[in-house]
Amino acid sequence: MHIRDLPHSDPGVPDVRSGPRFLLWLGRKQLGGQAKALGWGTLHMASVALVPAVVGLALQAVVAGSGEGLAEAGALLAVIAVSVTVGDTMLHRTAITNWITAAARVQQLLARRTAALGATLTQRVAAGEVVAVSTGDIEKIGWCVESASRFSAALLTTVGVCAGLVVYEPQLGLLVSAGMLVLAVTVLPLLPRATRRADLQREKAGRATELAADTVAGLRVLRGIGGEELFLDRYRLASQEVRRAAVRTARMWALIEAVQIALPGLLLVGVVWRGAGLALDGRIGVGELVTVYGAVTFLLFPLRLFQEFAMAYSFSRPSAQRAVRVLSLRRGGNKSDDRSGRVAPGTGEEPAGAAEGGTEPEAKEALGGDLYDPVTGLLAPAGQLTAVVCGDPEAAGKLADRLGGHAPEGDDCASVLLGGVPLDDVPLASARSAVLVQDKDPVLLSGSLRELLDVPNSGAVPQHRALEAAQCGDVLDALMQGNADPGGDPLDASVTERGRSLSGGQRQRLALARSLVTDPQVLVLDEPTSAVDAHTEARIARSLRRVRADRTTVVFTSSPLMLDQAERVVLVRGTEVLAAGPHRELLRTHAGYRAVVTREPENGARPRAGAAGAPSSTAPSPVSDGPRLAQAEGAEHA
């Protein structure tokens, strides 16, 4: 695998049973690269290990006055120099390739899982953790996978050198072998503590960053209530906690570095002391002493690789566990994951392109028909505008997610059916192209308005028509006021990050326009006009029905203005449908529905019927539309 071949055409199906298993899976996925690094690493370190022996031969030749022996030693050193250079260069090349390849594989897997889960990801895992896994953690994981081959090469070379020393000079060889074993395991007990301190520092830094981001986002509100100093004091405390955690982490790593320097030095002193005594007694020659000394000096190099691999594994194990926590998340209600944590083919979790060969287009064409939730019994007939009244915003949000095939984690309820086909049993791309869910708090990415509306679409609803249907005229005016070219195309106007320069109602309308441009077979809207004034909402409701004609639309709302435009209204409480029918009929006949929509108690007096036997949505009643108008206008201008 070469870096130029990235990204991977298929990153594979990861083993997410645990962090170590995931690391092992990553290593197996690039055995070729690991074998190359092992070969080049062994060549490099074996060549370096031969240098002391050749130097010893040269000294022996000098002592013996042999010019031929000295020339042979020089020739061997020249060959070794070439071998060391080639081995080191190729080892570095393959090691970096392995690192980047493993990190890219993890990043692709995380991106694919993020895309598969959509907005439900942040409901299961904190957004900051997802960012941390996608940035710092993948580097640690790649480091561990890459260092495994260098560790293996160092281990082979160390065993070979120690065995050669035992044969060459038994007393010093046994001393060196025992010392290397002690040095290799001395640092291991310190690494877990250092890792825990580093994780604690990272956690505290994440909290401080989150606090700072929240403070900046709400700075206008904080200034309005005089809370700037309060939040500044909180950030000071959080910053000091990060500083103290960083100091504790630095102290531990300073101790580890001191041990890594002091103990090898003591071993080298001990070997030289013992070797000098043997040389004075005449048991070994000067050349032999130099050879043993050079071998011990060389062994300090693979010893550092042992400690590096231990550090890499110690750091990457919690990182891999965090990555596994994200990668193990599945679309709610999916029953086809096996016990190993791998995903079986055909479950809607396949990588993009897995359904090539004509099966994917057929699956997309097959999706359509009524949308049915077997948990509540909610039915949204095909081609109609269905309004759902829940009364509980949290329950409405969960039901909207389930209608889009994103049930909460651990939800074992039956899958939502689209045309009789369970959404969890179809490929994810097909489900996404058929059903679109717009959250009550949609995200607007920064960029131009044209880029915001440049989404996968059927082409049936042009951008200008979607903006008109969502009543975005004043939004375009507001964007053009901040544009460098006031006379330019409004679609080229810039939208700030998350649309912070716009009001809540303006953001909602832009998000609605984006959803209308997409023009999915089924569109699920969760409170799409909760921050819009009543007059604008009435126009949006009428336009929505026209634009979405012959398309299935489900709107979660309790606004009479939107409910009056719905062809079918469903009242859901808990996990059951209590009533279904036209808005005005339900107002007249169902006290529970009337209580939710008009905010009056269920046992209160029924509202006075108009000409049609129920309040009119176009003429605000003092019970329902009047408070709704005041509340919506206040939200729009907040």
Side-chain angles (χ1 to χ4, degrees), residues 461-591:
V461 182
Q463 294 180 357
H464 67 87
R465 186 184 177 195
L467 291 169
E468 182 181 353
Q471 304 299 311
C472 293
D474 64 314
V475 183
L476 299 180
D477 294 339
L479 292 176
M480 290 302 295
Q481 288 179 0
N483 195 14
D485 183 13
D489 189 345
L491 291 178
D492 294 328
S494 298
V495 179
T496 58
E497 182 185 1
R498 302 183 69 91
R500 288 196 173 100
S501 62
L502 303 173
S503 68
Q506 290 173 331
R507 288 195 296 268
Q508 279 190 337
R509 283 178 279 160
L510 278 183
L512 178 60
R514 180 177 57 186
S515 299
L516 294 178
V517 168
T518 304
D519 189 38
Q521 183 65 34
V522 179
L523 176 60
V524 180
L525 303 171
D526 186 5
E527 294 288 354
T529 57
S530 59
V532 178
D533 66 83
H535 296 295
T536 304
E537 183 180 25
R539 294 194 296 269
I540 291 175
R542 291 191 295 268
S543 300
L544 179 63
R545 183 167 179 172
R546 289 195 302 268
V547 173
R548 293 291 299 171
D550 300 326
R551 294 286 198 179
T552 306
T553 308
V554 181
V555 182
F556 286 81
T557 183
S558 59
S559 168
L561 299 172
M562 186 68 71
L563 295 172
D564 194 52
Q565 292 295 326
E567 298 167 83
R568 187 169 186 266
V569 180
V570 180
L571 174 63
V572 178
R573 180 173 297 174
T575 58
E576 62 177 333
V577 172
L578 298 184
H583 164 62
R584 300 193 181 193
E585 179 181 337
L586 291 178
L587 271 180
R588 186 176 62 253
T589 61
H590 199 284

Side-chain angles (χ1 to χ4, degrees), residues 56-421:
L57 291 176
L59 286 176
Q60 291 287 11
V62 171
V63 173
S66 173
E68 182 179 355
L70 186 61
E72 292 178 354
L76 286 175
L77 280 178
V79 173
I80 290 174
V82 174
S83 179
V84 168
T85 302
V86 173
D88 189 23
T89 301
M90 297 306 297
L91 172 62
H92 181 75
R93 179 186 178 90
T94 54
I96 295 300
T97 300
N98 289 338
W99 189 336
I100 296 178
T101 301
R105 190 183 303 276
V106 177
Q107 197 166 38
Q108 280 185 254
L109 291 171
L110 290 170
R112 185 161 294 173
R113 181 54 42 206
T114 301
L117 293 170
T120 59
L121 174 63
T122 53
Q123 298 174 7
R124 307 182 187 183
V125 181
E129 182 172 354
V130 176
V131 174
V133 172
S134 302
T135 53
D137 283 336
I138 62 172
E139 294 186 4
K140 296 182 179 68
I141 293 172
W143 178 30
C144 179
V145 174
E146 172 273 322
S147 63
S149 56
R150 292 189 293 116
F151 165 76
S152 302
L155 181 61
L156 289 176
T157 307
T158 300
V159 172
V161 171
C162 289
L165 285 177
V166 171
V167 174
Y168 183 71
E169 179 54 52
Q171 293 189 31
L172 293 179
L174 291 174
L175 176 61
V176 171
S177 300
M180 288 296 297
L181 182 62
V182 172
L183 293 179
V185 300
T186 299
V187 181
L188 295 181
L190 301 177
L191 291 177
R193 181 177 297 180
T195 304
R196 287 194 297 270
R197 291 190 178 185
D199 286 343
L200 180 61
Q201 176 190 349
R202 168 185 158 173
E203 180 183 351
K204 291 182 178 297
R207 291 177 182 173
T209 302
E210 183 177 357
L211 179 60
D214 290 343
T215 303
V216 172
L219 189 59
R220 181 183 302 176
V221 178
L222 291 176
R223 286 176 175 173
I225 62 176
E228 300 148 281
E229 288 298 327
L230 175 62
F231 273 78
L232 182 59
D233 291 340
R234 290 182 180 178
Y235 182 76
R236 286 197 184 102
L237 293 176
S239 178
Q240 290 302 311
E241 290 182 2
V242 174
R243 181 190 61 80
R244 286 191 290 269
V247 170
R248 295 182 70 247
T249 302
R251 286 174 178 170
M252 180 55 66
W253 285 114
L255 175 61
I256 292 175
E257 289 292 332
V259 171
Q260 290 177 339
I261 294 174
L263 293 185
L266 292 176
L267 174 62
L268 189 60
V269 169
V271 171
V272 172
W273 182 276
R274 179 59 179 166
L278 294 175
L280 290 176
D281 293 341
R283 299 182 186 180
I284 61 174
V286 177
E288 294 174 329
L289 178 60
V290 172
T291 299
V292 174
Y293 174 81
V296 174
T297 304
F298 160 76
L299 288 175
L300 300 183
F301 170 56
L303 178 64
R304 299 287 294 187
L305 294 181
F306 294 164
Q307 296 166 345
E308 179 190 349
F309 177 71
M311 292 171 60
Y313 178 74
S314 180
F315 270 107
S316 66
R317 187 172 59 179
S319 296
Q321 194 60 46
R322 285 188 287 265
V324 162
R325 187 158 54 246
V326 176
L327 294 175
S328 61
L329 298 176
R330 295 286 173 251
R331 292 169 63 192
N334 199 318
K335 311 299 192 301
S336 50
D337 293 359
D338 61 22
R339 292 179 179 271
S340 68
R342 300 180 177 90
V343 182
T347 64
E349 298 290 342
E350 302 96 337
E356 295 178 357
T359 57
E360 182 67 12
E362 292 177 5
K364 289 183 180 179
E365 292 175 3
L367 286 178
D370 297 342
L371 184 67
Y372 176 70
D373 177 29
V375 177
T376 59
L378 171 63
L379 174 66
Q384 292 189 14
L385 173 59
T386 302
V388 180
V389 178
C390 281
D392 182 358
E394 183 177 356
K398 292 180 179 179
L399 180 54
D401 290 338
R402 190 161 66 246
L403 291 180
H406 299 287
E409 184 178 10
D411 191 345
D412 295 328
C413 300
S415 172
V416 170
L417 306 179
L418 180 57
V421 179

